[in-house]
Amino acid sequence: KATFERMREAGVDAILPEVFDNHAAWWASTHLPVAEPLLERLIPLAHEAGLEIHAWMHTMACNIPEVFEAHADWYDVNGRGESAAVKPAYVDYYKFLCPSRAEVHRFLRRRVTELAALDQLDGIHLDYIRFPDVILAAALQPKYGIVQDREYPEYDYCYCDVCRETFLDESGIDVTTLVDPAASNEWRQFRYDRITRLVNDILVPVGRAAHKQMTAAVFPNWEHVRQQWHVWRVDAVLPMLYQSFYAEEIAWVGAQCKAGIARMQEEGNSTLLYSGLFIPALDPGQLREAIQVSRAAGAAG
């Protein structure tokens, strides 16, 4: 209660507690491992302090042992034919589900349905609603000892049977016959559309039916995670404008706000954009500057 009161006094309007961290749920889920039914306790406390509360969930990343042991076929497969369930890219928790599979759709819809049923919850925030990064942000590549000067097959997803067969049916192209799949605009757009369909047609309608705000965490380098968020029908996007990850200065944050808003406007999309700032890379003065350049660039907050 004390923390929430301090937040509200500081001008914070809403909080996004991480209630599914790709391992366990922090509400009384009936189909996921439960760490603690904390969200139900937080909702009235947030409202008492005058804060909105939005449930932040990891979406495509899933590190529940029972899931990848029983349903290894639900997971992304890279261009080398390696499953993310057994050989994830970069870090062990990068076990991403495939957005083409009906079983995955039902699994994710059930999670959103449970959250949407929580009375007084203001919204649901979709994170990791993407493929693994085919190219990491520039400043992160040295951390992993890699150089990504192009799209390499070991980081390129998804080449599972369902994705390949669906793409063949829709385009007439067998991706296995392409000399350089990364050069195929059709194959690239197919992956964009897998995530967009999951957002617009499968998950967002569930939350909207329960009158919840639907928001999403998105990447500025959206092409590299197959996340064409400027066509998503959500209430707001929160791009992760972590300038230190991209070896950029604070002015870049404002430029990315403008670019994201412009892309959405070109699609006739009036979705709000909130600038996502990485606090560990900002001292108090820089934080103030980052807020100012974001608002000047049109960010809603």
Side-chain angles (χ1 to χ4, degrees):
K1 290 178 68 173
T3 299
F4 287 175
E5 288 168 3
R6 289 184 64 209
M7 288 178 172
R8 193 67 194 93
E9 289 169 4
V12 173
D13 298 302
I15 60 167
L16 289 72
E18 185 181 34
V19 299
F20 180 71
D21 58 3
N22 75 57
H23 290 89
W26 291 81
W27 74 94
S29 176
T30 61
H31 77 292
L32 299 169
V34 177
E36 180 187 342
L38 182 63
L39 181 58
E40 293 88 337
R41 293 170 53 208
L42 290 179
I43 292 171
L45 296 176
H47 286 168
E48 183 181 335
L51 297 169
E52 290 184 17
I53 182 165
H54 299 250
W56 163 20
M57 58 171 257
H58 294 211
T59 309
M60 305 313 295
C62 181
N63 282 261
I64 301 171
E66 295 83 356
V67 174
F68 60 76
E69 288 168 5
H71 304 291
D73 57 319
W74 288 9
Y75 286 79
D76 279 338
V77 173
N78 68 19
R80 287 182 170 177
E82 300 163 333
S83 170
V86 295
K87 192 173 182 181
Y90 312 116
V91 288
D92 187 59
Y93 73 86
Y94 252 45
K95 296 180 173 73
F96 276 63
L97 300 171
C98 171
S100 293
R101 294 177 176 267
E103 306 95 323
V104 171
H105 299 168
R106 288 191 290 270
F107 178 63
L108 297 176
R109 190 188 295 117
R110 186 173 179 185
R111 185 184 315 163
V112 175
T113 299
E114 284 191 349
L115 290 169
L118 292 176
D119 190 35
Q120 302 302 313
L121 182 70
D122 293 290
I124 299 168
H125 180 63
L126 307 174
D127 195 2
Y128 288 88
I129 182 73
R130 57 182 180 85
F131 284 98
D133 324 47
V134 66
I135 297 179
L136 284 175
L140 297 182
Q141 293 182 31
K143 176 180 176 180
Y144 296 102
I146 57 177
V147 174
Q148 293 175 321
D149 51 0
R150 61 182 177 85
E151 295 187 6
Y152 290 94
E154 57 265 45
Y155 308 112
D156 187 22
Y157 295 87
C158 174
Y159 288 76
C160 76
D161 293 346
V162 173
C163 282
R164 290 189 288 104
E165 291 168 8
T166 305
F167 180 61
L168 178 60
D169 290 342
E170 293 183 2
S171 69
I173 299 171
D174 182 349
V175 71
T176 65
T177 67
L178 298 177
V179 176
D180 182 11
S184 169
N185 289 331
E186 295 89 348
W187 178 231
R188 184 184 304 274
Q189 187 63 49
F190 174 81
R191 267 88 57 83
Y192 295 161
D193 292 344
R194 296 302 94 187
I195 301 295
T196 295
R197 175 172 172 253
L198 182 63
V199 173
N200 286 352
D201 301 337
I202 296 167
L203 300 183
V204 166
V206 175
R208 288 268 170 76
H211 309 291
K212 307 301 184 188
Q213 295 182 57
M214 299 297 295
T215 63
V218 296
F219 272 35
N221 58 331
W222 59 272
E223 301 99 325
H224 294 161
V225 290
R226 320 303 189 196
Q227 193 185 53
Q228 198 171 27
W229 49 265
H230 46 277
V231 299
W232 292 3
R233 295 193 294 271
V234 292
D235 294 292
V237 288
L238 284 66
M240 300 161 64
L241 303 181
Y242 303 173
Q243 82 288 344
S244 61
F245 286 25
Y246 298 89
E248 297 284 357
E249 301 298 326
I250 292 174
W252 173 88
V253 173
Q256 289 298 319
C257 289
K258 284 185 179 178
I261 293 168
R263 285 198 305 272
M264 290 192 291
Q265 289 177 340
E266 287 172 6
E267 300 290 337
N269 189 346
S270 58
T271 295
L272 298 175
L273 181 147
Y274 290 82
S275 179
L277 305 177
F278 189 57
I279 302 300
L282 300 165
D283 65 30
Q286 292 170 326
L287 175 59
R288 184 177 295 107
E289 181 185 355
I291 291 170
Q292 290 170 343
V293 299
S294 297
R295 295 308 298 266

